[in-house]
Every structure is written in C-alpha cells, then in structure tokens.
Amino acid sequence: DRGDVPEHVWDRIKDHPCFSEEAHHYFARMHVAVAPACNIQCNYCNRKYDCANESRPGVTSERLTPEQAARKVMAVAAKVPQLSVLGIAGPGDSMFDWRRTFETFRLVSAQLPDLKFCVSTNGLALPDHVDELAEHNIDHVTITINAVDPEIATQIYPWIYFNGRRHTGIEAARILLARQMEGLERLTAKGVLVKVNSVLIPGINDRHLVEVNAAIKARGAFLHNVMPLISDPSHGTRFGLDGRRGPTPAEVKAVQDSLGGGAHLMRHCRQCRADAVGMLGEDLSRDFTLDKIPEAPV
Ligand code: CLF
Ligand code: SF4
C-alpha cells in the first residue's frame, strides 16, 4: 500500500525492507556489528548485549572490524540475491562510533556500489555527522526517540556522555532531546528519509507517544515505528530489575492505532539483532560467522 507516498519517494523505498512494508516480502537486509561503543544509558539496555534500540536483549553479536565486516557483506551478497540494504545498528551507537561505521561503508561501497546503506542511532552524536552521512549517500536513517518531554525522558535515560563529560537528570534529557530534534531537522532538510523508532514503555511513555508522533511529523520524519519494550529481569536491564513489563501486543496496537498515520506508521518491525542477516524475521547470521567466510578480500 503506497498510501500517499509520492512516486519519487516510492522509488527510494521500494527495495528497503523496513521503510516499505511491501519491500520486506522481497528484499533482505543485513547488519554488521561494528559499533560497540555507546554514549548514553537507556534503562532498557544491557550493555552486555546488543543495542536494545533495534535488537532483542539476550543475544550477543560477533564484534567485527570494518575489514571483517566488509568481507562478511561480500560473502552474504554472493549468497543472498535479495540483499538490498546494509545497516549499522549497534551493538552500541553507529554515530558515536562513527569512524568504524563510515570506514565500513567506504570499504563496502568500493565493491558493491549499488547496495543501500542505513544507520540507526540514539541521535546524540547525529548532528555532528549529518554532512558525512549525505556524502556517503545514506538515504535512510533511524533515530530512536522515546520522548519529547525532558521530564519523561529522565525516567528512561539516567545519563549521557556529551562534550567530554557525563550529564545526568533533566540536563541530560534536555541535551539529548535537543540533539535528536536537531539531527532530525537537518536530515529532513537535506531530503534524507528518516524513520523514528520509539520504544513503548508502559507507564512511562505510552500516552506520550502521540506527542512524539506529532513532533517528529512536524519535523519531516517519514516513518514512525512504535516497538514494544523487551524487559526481562534475567537480561539485567534496569527496567527489568525494576520489575517493569513490556506491553502486550494489544497495547502496542492500541498505541499505533491512536497515532493514525497510515503508510507512515511501520507495523512490520522485527526488532532485529545488531548482526541480523536475511529477510526480516529470518536470521541467517549463523551461516556467516567469521569462521565461515573467506579469509582474503573477495
Ligand atoms: Fe537495519 Fe534498522 Fe536500517 Fe532496517 S532494521 S538499521 S532500518 S536496515 Fe527494520 Fe529491524 Fe525493525 Fe530496525 S525490522 S529493527 S526497523
Ligand atoms: Fe543501549 Fe542502544 Fe541505549 Fe546505547 S542507545 S544505551 S546501546 S539501548
């Protein structure tokens, strides 16, 4: 369903499995876990595992150097003809760890010039890299925005690391939210397609997400993806330790329905791991671990 998506935009999403609902039946994405460092603390994160922005806690990805990642991409491209997108989504933050992220794209684009690149970020470092994203022809960016009200954000982010020091409380929340909005505005001003992921946390931002939706739409976000908190004490996330539960599927649907949005709401997200490979919901990553791919550059 194209909804009200104009033809020239459709051309840019028709082979992106996350940005187009239809495309996820025909095209595959892969992630490479090259970005281990992160500059914020989310209460739903456990640093031992992947960035919970995009992935189910409880599974660790194989950390790769940009060179190893490029080899892996070549190996997957040779075996998975549906591969259309390479994303960097952790296991930490792609834009805080920007050197490894951009080095990976540089190595891959030299060999696979038609592959689309995609990044996912918490947004704190994003404004510093907007120009470089454009230089690498990155047309799809995801920012995780869980709140637009700093008071609510303080319940989600205990601290951030910014300009060489740690900030906490309302100050941390104000800085993070301002940087997220600045990154969003500057990307959409350049015509980049921006998706916003929001983690639905019952009792904290469930009723607030309608305001998040309005704020990001006003700044030109293309898609909004409301995804459920995955919280389990055995994973050791702070929310898990607090006994906070994830929403039921019915609660997720109720929030999504309250946002309206038609084609501008993503409902097919599978909360992929930072090293996911294949069609959405499929995981071929075990077939492409480092020991299974050729040593020499392909
Ligand atoms: Fe990866 Fe994310 Fe790009 Fe997609 S995943 S960086 S936008 S290529 Fe997609 Fe996976 Fe959901 Fe992410 S289904 S978790 S939205
Ligand atoms: Fe964890 Fe991702 Fe949040 Fe960083 S942005 S603390 S890696 S969930």
Side-chain angles (χ1 to χ4, degrees):
D1 174 22
R2 293 191 195 189
D4 55 354
V5 176
E7 191 71 32
H8 66 282
V9 176
W10 181 254
D11 282 342
R12 292 158 62 198
I13 62 166
K14 65 181 188 312
D15 56 358
H16 195 302
C18 304
F19 279 69
S20 156
E21 207 280 331
E22 203 176 307
H24 93 278
H25 299 293
Y26 307 104
F27 294 97
R29 55 78 187 96
M30 73 178 287
H31 291 164
V32 284
V34 294
C38 187
N39 49 355
I40 72 173
Q41 175 71 62
C42 304
N43 277 329
Y44 50 74
C45 181
N46 179 336
R47 295 299 181 85
K48 278 200 300 202
Y49 303 116
D50 290 341
C51 174
N53 270 337
E54 292 250 22
S55 50
R56 294 180 173 276
V59 272
T60 334
S61 301
E62 190 175 44
R63 304 290 151 82
L64 304 179
T65 65
E67 292 73 22
Q68 291 170 329
R71 280 203 280 131
K72 180 171 175 171
V73 177
M74 297 328 142
V76 172
K79 294 228 174 90
V80 181
Q82 302 95 328
L83 182 71
S84 63
V85 177
L86 168 65
I88 297 184
D93 189 74
S94 67
M95 290 293 94
F96 181 54
D97 230 336
W98 57 276
R99 284 192 183 82
R100 275 181 274 238
T101 295
F102 288 125
E103 177 63 4
T104 303
F105 289 146
R106 196 184 63 74
L107 292 171
V108 173
S109 66
Q111 305 202 52
L112 294 172
D114 295 332
L115 195 63
K116 276 188 199 311
F117 296 148
C118 187
V119 296
S120 170
T121 174
N122 63 46
L124 181 58
L126 178 61
D128 300 334
H129 304 294
V130 166
D131 294 332
E132 202 168 356
L133 284 165
E135 280 159 29
H136 284 267
N137 260 331
I138 294 166
D139 202 25
H140 301 80
V141 172
T142 296
I143 314 173
T144 300
I145 301 179
N146 299 317
V148 290
D149 175 343
E151 294 288 348
I152 293 175
T154 57
Q155 301 173 63
I156 304 171
Y157 312 103
W159 57 260
I160 66 167
Y161 182 80
F162 183 64
N163 278 352
R165 72 176 181 92
R166 195 181 275 229
H167 304 255
T168 57
I170 196 81
E171 187 204 358
R174 287 210 179 99
I175 295 169
L176 176 62
L177 301 196
R179 296 280 289 179
Q180 290 174 334
M181 290 301 152
E182 183 189 347
L184 170 59
E185 283 173 7
R186 289 185 42 201
L187 285 170
T188 57
K190 280 186 182 282
V192 173
L193 296 172
V194 182
K195 170 163 72 62
V196 169
N197 284 359
S198 299
V199 179
L200 169 54
I201 309 161
I204 292 188
N205 68 354
D206 39 0
R207 287 188 227 166
H208 179 54
L209 288 181
V210 59
E211 282 167 57
V212 173
N213 184 264
I216 62 154
K217 262 192 202 153
R219 289 167 178 82
F222 175 72
L223 258 187
H224 194 187
N225 174 24
V226 172
M227 47 211 271
L229 168 72
I230 302 167
S231 182
D232 180 333
S234 68
H235 294 142
T237 69
R238 294 172 184 224
F239 278 154
L241 295 172
D242 286 353
R244 196 165 286 281
R245 64 170 180 85
T248 65
E251 285 170 323
V252 177
K253 187 174 181 302
V255 171
Q256 289 173 335
D257 290 347
S258 77
L259 304 179
H264 298 285
L265 210 61
M266 178 179 187
R267 292 178 188 261
H268 64 285
C269 177
R270 303 299 292 263
Q271 295 180 275
C272 316
R273 298 168 50 136
D275 63 354
V277 175
M279 310 292 281
L280 294 194
E282 172 186 56
D283 190 8
L284 305 176
S285 58
R286 276 179 305 269
D287 300 340
F288 295 98
T289 48
L290 274 186
D291 55 308
K292 292 186 184 133
I293 61 182
E295 260 310 318
V298 187

